[in-house]
Amino acid sequence: QKRLFKNRKVVQLNKFIKGDVSPFTVNDLKIFKLIISKVDSKDSLFQDFYEITTDEIRHLNINEKHLYSETKKSLKRLANIYITFEENDSFREVGLIRNDFRFDKNSKKILINFNDDMGEYLINLKKNFFMYDLIDIVNFKFKHTIKFYEYIKSQSLNVIKLKIETIKGILDLKNKYSRYTNFRTDVLEVILEEINESSNTLMDCFGNFCK
């Protein structure tokens, strides 16, 4: 993993993490972050197809028996399901990748490009963006860990205090887990364990998070 994903960075505008990604699986999100890590300039965002390989997908720790069919399912969801942004009194639907990917199972390469909607969310190097190493998330098994990890990376503060309802909002779980004990056991403690075990840059960042 370290060799394959060396120097691979995921760069996003801060407000992109506010999008509701609840329809997607953890594998969908990992594949999407892999595609984002291929972007190296704003100019090339919509001009070129980005190439990812089945070897890269396998090293995202996607342990599916039928990797080819599972990858196609993920790409179809990423192409056909828009994420929702709540903006004041309105909602915005944003597309992720174009429904024009090319997957030749004999070549082990997939060619993908972004939906035009992504132009304002990727490669904004002036302000309000955050960046992390792709390798940090490849071993996460829980999609809420990815969402929370990105939120923490987008913050510039050393100490962050969050209310439970705020965390639920970040994780697209506003109307779930009415009992705090269930939310703590099923979500918060899982997130803490995965980040502390798998992330290279947030190790022990919130060791008292669930205590």
Side-chain angles (χ1 to χ4, degrees):
Q1 288 178 330
K2 290 183 178 180
R3 178 188 60 80
L4 192 61
F5 297 137
K6 184 179 181 180
N7 299 323
R8 284 289 170 199
K9 304 288 185 181
V10 179
V11 182
Q12 300 167 151
L13 205 64
N14 286 353
K15 67 178 181 179
F16 186 67
I17 61 173
K18 296 181 180 180
D20 183 352
V21 298
S22 55
F24 300 108
T25 69
V26 66
N27 290 347
D28 299 340
L29 297 182
K30 286 183 181 181
I31 290 173
F32 185 57
K33 303 308 176 182
L34 170 63
I35 301 168
I36 290 178
S37 76
K38 300 284 182 170
V39 179
D40 55 11
S41 73
K42 189 78 169 181
D43 293 337
S44 70
L45 192 56
F46 306 113
Q47 294 177 3
D48 306 311
F49 277 91
Y50 290 92
E51 178 184 289
I52 62 176
T53 69
T54 51
D55 284 341
E56 289 176 320
I57 294 171
R58 186 174 294 106
H59 280 82
L60 293 174
N61 200 17
I62 297 178
N63 298 316
E64 299 288 350
K65 183 176 180 181
H66 303 289
L67 187 63
Y68 171 71
S69 60
E70 288 301 320
T71 299
K72 285 208 304 183
K73 289 178 184 178
S74 281
L75 291 175
K76 288 179 180 178
R77 280 192 293 269
L78 290 169
N80 291 290
I81 299 176
Y82 282 30
I83 65 170
T84 302
F85 286 87
E86 186 173 352
E87 299 179 345
N88 299 320
D89 296 326
S90 63
F91 294 91
R92 182 183 181 189
E93 301 291 323
V94 174
L96 303 179
I97 64 173
R98 294 180 185 175
N99 199 355
D100 184 28
F101 49 88
R102 306 174 190 178
F103 197 151
D104 184 346
K105 61 182 178 181
N106 295 317
S107 71
K108 297 184 178 181
K109 295 179 181 179
I110 311 162
L111 299 178
I112 303 163
N113 208 341
F114 290 97
N115 190 296
D116 290 347
D117 292 350
M118 292 303 298
E120 66 179 89
Y121 297 103
L122 302 181
I123 305 298
N124 186 327
L125 300 181
K126 294 183 180 179
K127 58 181 180 178
N128 299 325
F129 78 98
F130 68 99
M131 176 173 62
Y132 61 86
D133 295 325
L134 178 66
I135 192 67
D136 276 0
I137 67 163
V138 296
N139 291 317
F140 291 162
K141 299 177 182 178
F142 193 45
K143 70 176 182 179
H144 300 308
T145 307
I146 296 178
K147 196 74 183 290
F148 194 75
Y149 174 83
E150 290 193 334
Y151 176 82
I152 296 298
K153 292 295 288 187
S154 73
Q155 304 300 302
S156 59
L157 302 175
N158 292 326
V159 177
I160 301 172
K161 293 184 178 180
L162 298 172
K163 295 181 179 179
I164 293 300
E165 290 306 312
T166 301
I167 298 175
K168 285 186 176 181
I170 294 168
L171 301 179
D172 310 320
L173 295 172
K174 287 183 179 180
N175 300 317
K176 297 184 179 181
Y177 294 100
S178 57
R179 296 184 60 186
Y180 169 71
T181 52
N182 292 342
F183 182 63
R184 171 179 170 171
T185 301
D186 297 344
V187 180
L188 296 183
E189 291 182 355
V190 176
I191 288 174
L192 173 65
E193 182 177 0
E194 286 204 333
I195 289 181
N196 280 342
E197 287 184 356
S198 302
S199 171
N200 293 325
T201 58
L202 282 185
M203 290 291 288
D204 300 320
C205 180
F206 27 0
N208 296 319
F209 184 67
C210 295
K211 294 182 180 178

